[in-house]
Amino acid sequence: MKVKSAAKINLMLDILKRLDSGYHSLFMIMQSVSLYDTVTVERGGDKILIECDDENVPCNEKNIAYKCAEAFFDFCKIDDRAVRIKIEKNIPVAAGTAGGSADGAAVLYSLNKIYSAGLSQNTLCEIGAGLGADIPFSLVGGTAVSLGIGDIIAPVKPLKNCRIILVKPDQAVSTPIAYAQYDTLPRVRHLDRVGMLEAVSQGDYKKICTLCGNVFEQAVEVPERPYIKSTMHRFGADAACMSGSGPTVYGLFSDYEKAQKCYEALRKTYNNTYICEPADKGIIELMD
Ligand code: ATP
């Protein structure tokens, strides 16, 4: 079975508090974008086998796709764990765009079908939640509020009629280190969460753009961020903000021509520049 699984951006990412468990309680507004990994899952071989065309991705039990397969088999009490998982990577790695979570979600979705397990989307989200904060959202996709450790998802009005430019500077950010840096901040400027909830529930693009924000920008240093943001604004972006724990910066444009020009300018400097649109699904089945 072959599926496409979408990257995400955070229209808002605020951190409410650090939990005793070490996790953080989050407030996130998530948006799927039309940048996809392709994941093929087939029965065969004698164990969980991972294959990936990106050398930065571990092809072993550390892969999120592997962990999701194992968790699925444990949950369903399946002993025959012979599957081949092939990941064609397009989503940048360690970028704040949920690349690993997208692959994990794709595996949960595919195994549920292949083994005719009949698990609900909710149950798949529960299995995935402990393995990656963005896995539940990657299963649901579209535009959604995500709370807790990413395990509570509430879909809202889909974002429409805009272009999204992503730029990943040549820097990898480790999510655990980003949280550790956040925890050392003496003061945090929190975001207008209530305003954003109103904006997304009304599908008010203009208001969403004025409220986009990410508290990780206060903690994670990305030297290229000011330049990328100011370039996006110069080309007419309605908003520019970092996604996840970074370093990817995104720009929202209601004017498609301006977006195209901005994309062409930025990709001259940054190899990992993408032009996307909002996606209304996390996972899309492909014909084999
Ligand atoms: P998020 O936005 O969910 O925090 P991210 O973009 O910051 O995700 P990922 O691309 O998911 O980060 O990967 C983080 C690390 O996880 C990588 O450094 C990589 O070694 C490891 N990893 C494990 N499995 C995968 C996978 N399937 N795809 C990408 N990275 C993976």
Side-chain angles (χ1 to χ4, degrees):
M1 167 160 205
K2 199 172 190 177
V3 303
K4 293 201 300 184
S5 192
K8 63 91 197 186
I9 56 167
N10 295 99
L11 297 172
M12 180 173 273
L13 194 164
D14 203 352
I15 299 177
L16 305 184
K17 64 171 180 174
R18 188 172 192 273
L19 304 170
D20 290 340
S21 58
Y23 285 108
H24 292 73
S25 174
L26 305 170
F27 175 96
M28 302 189 286
I29 306 293
M30 319 287 286
Q31 176 62 54
S32 302
V33 298
S34 60
L35 169 65
Y36 301 95
D37 282 353
T38 302
V39 179
T40 310
V41 183
E42 285 166 349
R43 288 179 85 151
D46 55 0
K47 56 181 180 175
I48 303 169
L49 253 179
I50 306 276
E51 200 185 303
C52 182
D53 57 0
D54 185 324
E55 59 185 19
N56 298 310
V57 173
C59 286
N60 53 29
E61 65 292 341
K62 291 198 178 124
N63 196 298
I64 301 171
Y66 184 103
K67 291 181 189 171
C68 282
E70 204 167 45
F72 172 87
F73 291 134
D74 285 347
F75 186 90
C76 297
K77 302 192 169 54
I78 293 172
D79 293 327
D80 166 25
R81 300 179 170 207
V83 284
R84 289 195 201 95
I85 299 169
K86 186 174 154 207
I87 302 168
E88 291 161 62
K89 205 88 197 133
N90 296 305
I91 305 173
V93 176
T97 47
S101 292
D103 300 341
V107 166
L108 290 172
Y109 179 93
S110 301
L111 289 176
N112 191 35
K113 294 253 163 145
I114 293 171
Y115 283 82
S116 305
L119 303 182
S120 66
Q121 188 180 65
N122 261 348
T123 304
L124 293 178
C125 287
E126 276 169 29
I127 298 173
L131 302 170
D134 294 324
I135 293 178
F137 173 72
S138 296
L139 281 158
V140 175
T143 313
V145 182
S146 169
L147 303 172
I149 56 164
D151 53 332
I152 303 166
I153 308 284
V156 290
K157 277 204 175 157
L159 190 69
K160 285 200 185 304
N161 304 327
C162 66
R163 290 283 182 266
I164 301 167
I165 295 183
L166 305 183
V167 178
K168 185 202 166 267
D170 203 6
Q171 169 189 356
V173 171
S174 145
T175 305
I177 292 176
Y179 276 106
Q181 285 168 339
Y182 175 85
D183 288 337
T184 65
L185 287 177
R187 230 172 301 107
V188 178
R189 289 182 305 283
H190 287 283
L191 307 172
D192 182 358
R193 300 187 295 267
V194 174
M196 187 55 128
L197 274 181
E198 276 170 12
V200 291
S201 54
Q202 292 158 359
D204 184 340
Y205 172 79
K206 277 198 179 141
K207 192 166 174 191
I208 291 170
C209 288
T210 61
L211 294 173
C212 281
N214 183 344
V215 291
F216 275 121
E217 291 198 14
Q218 297 167 48
V220 177
E221 227 185 290
V222 177
E224 303 288 317
R225 190 170 56 218
Y227 173 76
I228 297 168
K229 281 186 169 190
S230 66
T231 305
M232 287 174 168
H233 283 301
R234 194 155 44 81
F235 276 89
D238 304 307
C241 186
M242 190 169 83
S243 183
S245 51
T248 300
V249 177
Y250 67 82
L252 300 181
F253 292 77
S254 52
D255 185 316
Y256 295 6
E257 266 180 43
K258 288 179 182 166
Q260 185 63 31
K261 286 196 176 127
C262 183
Y263 165 70
E264 280 161 18
L266 281 166
R267 78 171 170 179
K268 287 186 187 143
T269 313
Y270 301 101
N271 287 334
N272 292 312
T273 300
Y274 311 87
I275 185 160
C276 314
E277 45 192 291
D280 58 5
K281 272 184 153 189
I283 294 175
I284 298 169
E285 280 186 37
L286 298 171
M287 305 295 274
D288 277 327

